[in-house]
Amino acid sequence: MDPRTELSEFLRTRRARLTPGDVGLPEFGRRRRVPGLRREELAQLAGVSVAYYTRLEQGNGRNVSVEVLDAISAALKLSDAEHAHLLHLAKPGQHKRRPTPQRQQVRPALLELLSAMDSVPAYIWGRRTDVLAWNRSASALFGDWAARAPQDRNWARIVFLDPEARNLFADWEAKASDVVGQLRMDAGQHAGDPVLNELIGELSVRSDEFRTMWATHNVKRKTYAGMNLTHPLVGGITLHYETFALPGDQEQFLSTYHAEPASPSAEALRMLVSWGTDAAVSRT
């Protein structure tokens, strides 16, 4: 992926989703030839010249200051995740990370933690949405990751290429959008990652839905929310998940899942947890 092209398309798609009314500008009656804000309108809001903003939207961000990027981000009403993505795209030289192995390693103490909290479905994931480690309860809830090849323990491949995922996630499109948004974050930080580029290429070829979502340039960072599942063994179940960044590797995260106490979902989750690995094998 060319960082200049990524920057250009990201800014263009963010500008296209806004209307003058969204940012307090008057809307005139005549028909607009392009969707969203015009470049001159965005430049006015950010306090820069049209020529300056045009160069930036064409992918030339070499000399742009952080202050200008902050102003453009505010004008575009970017989320925190989108703002971080813009900084990585426009000033990649200031956000380089030291080389990391293709397969991230989970610290032994974290593996012990996962095992100790086995009554709570939990897993650790990293770059490219790779699932790096999990406990028995997570396998009971989401499927037997141990039975998958290492390269297939990946949420993007599971969501877009495994038909079972469409049955499991009641709102499949929301889950798919979250996964694509996380991949966009990774792509902004690691444009030269050959494994990531290969994954994006594979998904683009094999899934029309991924290709469409990827073209939107939406960026998301997984945090916390509710989730509805339709599990093949216990039926409908409503859960809440929390995501925690882990010390020692800023690109490893712990995700945990729980149900509202004394609810039918809590009882269904308790049953799944009691079955553990047997539940994962049974659904397979």
Side-chain angles (χ1 to χ4, degrees):
M1 293 173 289
D2 179 10
R4 288 172 58 96
T5 301
E6 291 295 306
L7 174 60
S8 175
E9 293 183 355
F10 178 68
L11 287 173
R12 179 179 52 78
T13 56
R14 299 311 87 183
R15 181 167 56 84
R17 71 181 180 179
L18 294 175
T19 66
D22 293 331
V23 295
L25 293 177
E27 294 198 51
F28 299 103
R30 60 192 179 90
R31 186 176 180 180
R32 301 172 72 88
R33 292 180 298 173
V34 294
L37 292 178
R38 299 187 179 97
R39 285 177 175 171
E40 55 266 29
E41 292 170 332
L42 196 283
Q44 175 188 345
L45 289 168
V48 298
S49 70
V50 177
Y52 188 97
Y53 177 76
T54 298
R55 288 197 301 271
L56 182 62
E57 194 172 288
Q58 290 172 345
N60 185 4
R62 289 173 302 192
N63 299 318
V64 65
S65 69
V66 173
E67 291 74 18
V68 168
L69 292 173
D70 287 345
I72 291 173
S73 177
L76 289 170
K77 297 184 176 296
L78 299 186
S79 67
D80 290 344
E82 290 172 327
H83 178 66
H85 186 62
L86 174 62
L87 292 179
H88 281 289
L89 291 178
K91 304 184 78 65
Q94 296 185 15
H95 298 273
K96 288 183 178 178
R97 301 178 183 273
R98 64 177 183 270
T100 55
Q102 291 187 350
R103 186 72 181 174
Q104 293 168 282
Q105 301 297 317
V106 177
R107 290 188 288 113
L110 291 174
L111 297 177
E112 294 171 0
L113 175 63
L114 283 177
S115 180
M117 57 189 298
D118 199 45
S119 62
V120 177
Y123 59 86
I124 294 172
W125 57 280
R127 289 170 57 188
R128 318 179 197 99
T129 71
D130 284 340
V131 177
L132 306 175
W134 57 91
N135 58 19
R136 291 189 319 124
S137 299
S139 284
L141 186 61
F142 293 110
D144 189 4
W145 278 311
R148 297 180 183 271
Q151 69 271 17
D152 292 332
R153 296 168 191 161
N154 174 276
W155 271 122
R157 283 197 175 95
I158 292 171
V159 168
F160 285 97
L161 303 182
D162 187 345
E164 289 298 319
R166 296 178 184 270
N167 299 325
L168 178 63
F169 295 101
D171 191 346
W172 178 88
E173 289 190 358
K175 176 63 176 179
S177 178
D178 288 346
V179 168
V180 173
Q182 183 62 48
L183 281 183
R184 269 290 176 196
M185 287 286 294
D186 289 346
Q189 298 176 43
H190 303 285
D193 181 349
V195 179
L196 176 59
N197 291 339
E198 181 181 348
L199 172 63
I200 293 169
E202 175 190 353
L203 294 172
S204 297
V205 169
R206 299 180 62 183
S207 171
D208 292 339
E209 288 155 311
F210 175 84
R211 191 164 57 250
T212 298
M213 291 184 181
W214 186 253
T216 65
H217 284 260
N218 289 334
V219 178
K220 295 182 180 178
R221 181 180 283 129
K222 184 175 180 179
T223 53
Y224 60 90
M227 174 181 291
N228 293 318
L229 303 177
T230 305
H231 196 279
L233 297 183
V234 297
I237 183 170
T238 298
L239 300 175
H240 302 278
Y241 66 80
E242 302 283 342
T243 305
F244 307 92
L246 296 177
D249 186 339
Q250 295 181 350
E251 296 178 308
Q252 285 191 27
F253 304 88
L254 171 68
S255 289
T256 65
Y257 295 78
H258 70 280
E260 182 180 344
S263 66
S265 292
E267 176 60 19
L269 184 59
R270 187 196 64 77
M271 292 174 60
L272 279 177
V273 168
S274 69
W275 294 335
T277 304
D278 290 340
V281 173
S282 296
R283 64 182 290 174
T284 303

